[in-house]
Amino acid sequence: MNMDNLPHTTLIEVRDYECDMQGIVNNAVYQNYLEHARHTFIKDKELNFADITKDGIHLVVMRAEVDYKRPLKSGMIARVESHCEPISKFKTKFTQSIYIGETTQLSAHAVFIIASISDNGRPAVYKDINKLFSL
């Protein structure tokens, strides 16, 4: 099995205050879960957002697509699986799936396009970006 294809996994406990009047996680909260999973992915690749920013590089979301499948409810564990691949020198694609606990029940599927830009908003290459795509 190719280890490069294994997704990065982040577990998140669903909290009461993240649920709407219907008792399910509000759609906007999924964005927080997905962002947190991307941040843990980057941290586990031994990259640090503060250091990246100090180097004058900003990783910004250009596109976010989320398909909602099954609701999450308070007390559940959300398992976010993240995979990252390069699109160009300046863009990275994160494909993420949220599952209910340890099951194969898909709660949401998302694709995020992340751009690497300089302080002045121009495309910029981060020197250690390839760490995202290695083991």
Side-chain angles (χ1 to χ4, degrees), residues 1 45-47 57 59 71 78 80 87-89 96 105 110:
M1 175 181 248
K45 295 291 186 171
E46 298 181 359
L47 294 173
I57 301 293
L59 302 178
V80 184
I87 295 175
S88 73
K89 295 187 303 187
Q96 298 178 278
Q105 291 183 336

Side-chain angles (χ1 to χ4, degrees), residues 87-103:
I87 295 175
S88 73
K89 295 187 303 187
F90 310 112
K91 294 180 188 174
T92 301
K93 177 181 176 182
F94 273 91
T95 304
Q96 298 178 278
S97 296
I98 300 177
Y99 295 94
I100 298 173
E102 293 300 317
T103 74

Side-chain angles (χ1 to χ4, degrees), residues 56-104:
I57 301 293
H58 305 281
L59 302 178
V60 298
V61 174
M62 286 183 65
R63 178 183 300 152
E65 299 173 9
V66 183
D67 295 316
Y68 302 95
K69 304 296 185 181
R70 288 185 179 90
L72 291 169
K73 297 178 181 178
S74 181
M76 287 181 164
I77 299 296
R79 184 178 89 249
V80 184
E81 294 186 357
S82 304
H83 179 73
C84 181
E85 61 187 281
I87 295 175
S88 73
K89 295 187 303 187
F90 310 112
K91 294 180 188 174
T92 301
K93 177 181 176 182
F94 273 91
T95 304
Q96 298 178 278
S97 296
I98 300 177
Y99 295 94
I100 298 173
E102 293 300 317
T103 74
T104 58

